[in-house]
């Protein structure tokens, strides 16, 4: 059978990994695809010392690859929004299938890109965009297609998980771990995307769309970063039997769907709580299947290349099939415009840490603010002031309550004469 010819745009961490996997596993890949997959051309502005590209045509113009009549599949690995969007649309316009690892592009411009692809009868594949090497797109879009998905929750940013793990286990400094994640090729070009939860929000947006058949709604995803997590919170969470993870959570509620990324306390007994380092993990609950859990490397050259190449193989296999035989880009043939709940309307349990003067009645005041609003306390710890400090800390776990009620309670607690500064709030999910 005629080989499939691929053009790789971008030869950084992921591009280099993709080239190397396609080259080193070429025989097995051909056996799986039923035809050879050849790297016809590469667009890069700088060499990748990990790759021997001497036998391949190399250009510094990615658009030349997108327009190259010899090429069947354009692999977009340059990242970012604008140039990547134009490049992908150009490739589609020239009748190419596209494989991308660019979650930002899909989360923000996915619908425009998929519409263009459908009009041209080509496919845009994006497995590598979510959770790196874990085949989570295939699992949710195809493997769980029988289910009505109830909720999903995931550690979907390797850099953030790596930072939280190193801080917890080795007491390392935030900036120092972030620098290492950048050197290892885990972090985004702008690492605030990792630590502020924007990268995870891109991925959660995509996962939620294919899980529930809703539009891509990145702008409605609530995002909170890990920058305010203190060593005290990490320690108190462990004392209460929980671990703090930066989680993307999406749940089908009665009045809509929640879509949120924030630091989250989860019980240490849940397998996902033990997923550390650069690993990602996604839990998906479907009505027929129940709980499922997917774990693997979420970033890095090899794992991300594994997902990119799997998409290329999928395309190569279905090359001669009509477009209608391929799985829909967003899993569903019709999209439900279900409301994404504003954060105020979302219901979760909470961890609160309150700094207060060490005097009689403070705890009673806090408890009565919560009980007046129907907030049920699950556990309380009071910590005496540390040596040389004047303030005590009250740590509370609550049962589930709507966020706006908790906001109101926090405002009232912060207004007490005996409390100091802002209340720390970490949302708690039991994932059951
Ligand atoms: N910066 C991302 C992460 C890369 O750390 O997970 C993979 O999407």
């Amino acid at each position: 059978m005629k080989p499939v010819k691929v053009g790789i745009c971008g030869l950084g961490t992921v591009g280099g990994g993709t080239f190397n996997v396609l080259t080193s596993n070429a025989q097995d890949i051909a056996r799986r695809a039923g035809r050879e997959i050849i790297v016809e051309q590469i667009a890069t502005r700088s060499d990748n010392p990990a790759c021997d590209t001497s036998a391949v045509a190399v250009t510094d113009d990615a658009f030349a690859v997108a327009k190259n009549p010899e090429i069947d599949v354009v692999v977009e690995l340059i990242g970012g929004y604008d140039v990547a969007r134009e490049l992908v649309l150009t490739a589609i316009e020239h009748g190419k299938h596209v494989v991308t690892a660019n979650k930002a592009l899909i989360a923000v411009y996915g619908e425009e890109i998929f519409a263009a692809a459908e009009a041209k009868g080509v496919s845009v594949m994006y497995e590598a965009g979510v959770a790196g090497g874990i085949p989570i797109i295939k699992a949710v879009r195809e493997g769980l297609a029988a289910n009505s998905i109830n909720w999903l929750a995931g550690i979907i940013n390797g850099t953030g998980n790596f930072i939280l793990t190193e801080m917890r286990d080795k007491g390392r400094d935030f900036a120092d771990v972030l620098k290492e994640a950048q050197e290892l090729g885990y972090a985004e070009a702008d690492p605030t995307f990792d630590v502020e939860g924007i990268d995870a929000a891109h991925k959660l947006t995509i996962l939620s769309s294919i899980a529930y058949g809703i539009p891509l709604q990145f702008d409605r995803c609530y995002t909170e970063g890990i920058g305010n997590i203190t060593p005290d919170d990490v320690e108190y969470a462990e004392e209460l039997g929980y671990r703090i993870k930066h989680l993307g959570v999406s749940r089908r509620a009665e009045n809509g769907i929640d879509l949120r990324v924030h630091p989250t306390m989860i019980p240490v007994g849940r397998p996902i709580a033990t997923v550390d380092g650069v690993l990602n993990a996604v839990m998906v609950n479907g009505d027929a299947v129940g709980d499922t859990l997917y774990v693997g490397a979420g970033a890095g050259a090899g794992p991300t290349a594994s997902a990119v190449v799997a998409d290329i193989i999928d395309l190569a296999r279905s090359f001669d099939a009509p477009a209608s035989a391929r799985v829909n880009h967003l899993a569903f043939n019709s999209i439900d415009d279900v409301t994404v709940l504003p954060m105020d309307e979302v219901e979760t349990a909470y961890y609160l840490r309150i700094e207060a003067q060490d005097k009689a009645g403070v705890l009673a005041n806090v408890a009565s603010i919560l009980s007046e609003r129907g907030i049920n306390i699950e556990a309380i710890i009071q910590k005496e002031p540390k040596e040389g400090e004047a303030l005590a800390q009250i740590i509370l776990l609550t049962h589930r309550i709507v966020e706006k009620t908790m906001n109101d309670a926090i405002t009232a607690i912060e207004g007490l004469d005996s409390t100091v500064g802002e209340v720390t709030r970490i949302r708690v999910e039991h994932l059951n």
Side-chain angles (χ1 to χ4, degrees):
M1 240 189 297
K2 203 169 138 277
V4 165
K5 294 187 180 169
V6 170
I8 299 177
C9 299
L11 201 65
T13 303
V14 180
T18 299
F19 175 78
N20 286 340
V21 169
L22 280 172
T23 311
S24 60
N25 293 355
Q27 273 192 345
D28 273 349
I29 288 171
R31 286 172 62 216
R32 289 184 191 272
R35 56 175 96 209
E36 243 188 305
I37 295 176
I38 296 171
V39 179
E40 175 75 13
Q41 194 177 21
I42 293 172
T44 182
R45 295 224 173 107
S46 47
D47 282 346
N48 182 332
C51 304
D52 175 7
T53 56
S54 52
V56 183
V58 178
T59 170
D60 61 3
D61 178 8
F63 287 85
V65 175
K67 295 174 189 169
N68 182 340
E70 288 299 312
I71 285 175
D72 305 299
V73 179
V74 171
V75 183
E76 183 280 303
L77 301 172
I78 58 175
Y81 293 101
D82 297 336
V83 178
R85 171 177 165 270
E86 209 186 321
L87 180 68
V88 166
L89 290 173
T90 304
I92 291 169
E93 187 53 37
H94 285 77
K96 322 287 184 206
H97 297 284
V98 173
V99 174
T100 180
N102 192 334
K103 53 268 165 167
L105 180 74
I106 298 299
V108 176
Y109 295 117
E111 274 157 30
E112 177 193 13
I113 288 170
F114 298 147
E118 279 153 30
K120 268 288 185 186
V122 295
S123 290
V124 176
M125 309 283 276
Y126 52 89
E127 179 66 75
V130 182
I134 307 174
I136 191 67
I137 298 296
K138 206 175 227 331
V140 175
R141 193 171 60 179
E142 294 160 62
L144 299 179
N147 290 264
S148 173
I149 305 295
N150 295 316
W151 56 266
L152 58 89
I155 299 167
I156 42 180
N157 182 267
T159 302
N161 203 32
F162 183 63
I163 292 173
L164 285 177
T165 305
E166 292 287 302
M167 285 174 72
R168 186 193 71 216
D169 290 351
K170 302 186 187 150
R172 287 180 65 191
D173 178 64
F174 184 97
D176 175 43
V177 191
L178 176 58
K179 189 163 167 280
E180 189 182 343
Q182 288 175 290
E183 283 161 6
L184 290 167
Y186 302 156
E188 296 303 298
D190 175 355
T192 58
F193 273 41
D194 296 293
V195 295
E196 295 301 329
I198 298 161
D199 175 71
H202 287 140
K203 295 166 179 168
L204 185 69
T205 299
I206 298 170
L207 278 179
S208 302
S209 180
I210 62 170
Y212 311 114
I214 59 172
L216 292 159
Q217 298 169 85
F218 169 68
D219 52 345
R220 300 209 182 148
C221 184
Y222 174 81
T223 309
E224 191 178 302
I226 53 175
N228 292 332
I229 301 293
T230 67
D232 278 354
D233 295 319
V234 173
E235 184 190 322
Y236 300 152
E238 296 279 331
E239 211 171 300
L240 287 159
Y242 290 82
R243 189 148 295 159
I244 302 174
K245 291 289 182 189
H246 203 194
L247 228 58
V249 182
S250 151
R251 187 183 302 272
R252 203 193 279 272
E254 254 170 45
N255 44 349
I257 281 175
D258 49 288
L259 200 57
R260 49 198 166 95
V261 175
H262 48 66
T264 311
M265 281 178 33
I266 44 184
V268 282
R270 294 253 164 250
I272 194 172
T274 61
V275 173
D276 285 334
V278 73
L279 288 180
N280 279 198
V282 184
M283 279 186 85
V284 185
N285 176 281
D287 64 345
V289 72
D291 286 347
T292 58
L293 174 65
Y294 311 82
V295 183
T304 315
S306 164
V308 170
V309 174
D311 274 351
I312 299 172
I313 294 171
D314 250 7
L315 282 171
R317 261 197 221 109
S318 63
F319 227 61
D320 303 318
S324 59
R326 295 187 211 120
V327 61
N328 194 284
H329 283 110
L330 287 174
F332 291 73
N333 282 301
S334 64
I335 298 295
D336 251 0
D337 207 355
V338 177
T339 314
V340 171
L341 295 174
M343 197 57 201
D344 259 9
E345 301 295 334
V346 166
E347 191 186 282
T348 72
Y350 292 87
Y351 157 100
L352 303 180
R353 180 167 53 80
I354 302 157
E355 292 203 301
Q357 289 160 15
D358 189 17
K359 62 180 190 190
V362 180
L363 196 53
N365 286 340
V366 170
S368 71
I369 287 174
L370 296 175
S371 90
E372 279 159 16
R373 289 162 180 79
I375 302 173
N376 194 354
I377 298 170
E378 185 185 310
I380 296 186
I381 311 178
Q382 180 158 357
K383 297 279 180 190
E384 292 306 308
K386 291 185 181 158
E387 211 175 306
E389 289 178 13
L391 298 173
Q393 307 219 51
I394 299 169
I395 296 104
L396 287 162
L397 278 185
T398 77
H399 287 270
R400 294 178 79 82
I401 189 80
V402 171
E403 177 108 350
K404 65 180 169 216
T405 307
M406 183 51 83
N407 289 341
D408 183 47
I410 287 175
T411 306
I413 293 169
E414 287 172 347
L416 290 172
D417 288 343
S418 48
T419 61
V420 177
E422 288 184 6
V423 172
T424 297
R425 162 231 316 257
I426 301 176
R427 298 171 187 89
V428 179
E429 290 290 346
H430 295 96
L431 304 179
N432 54 19

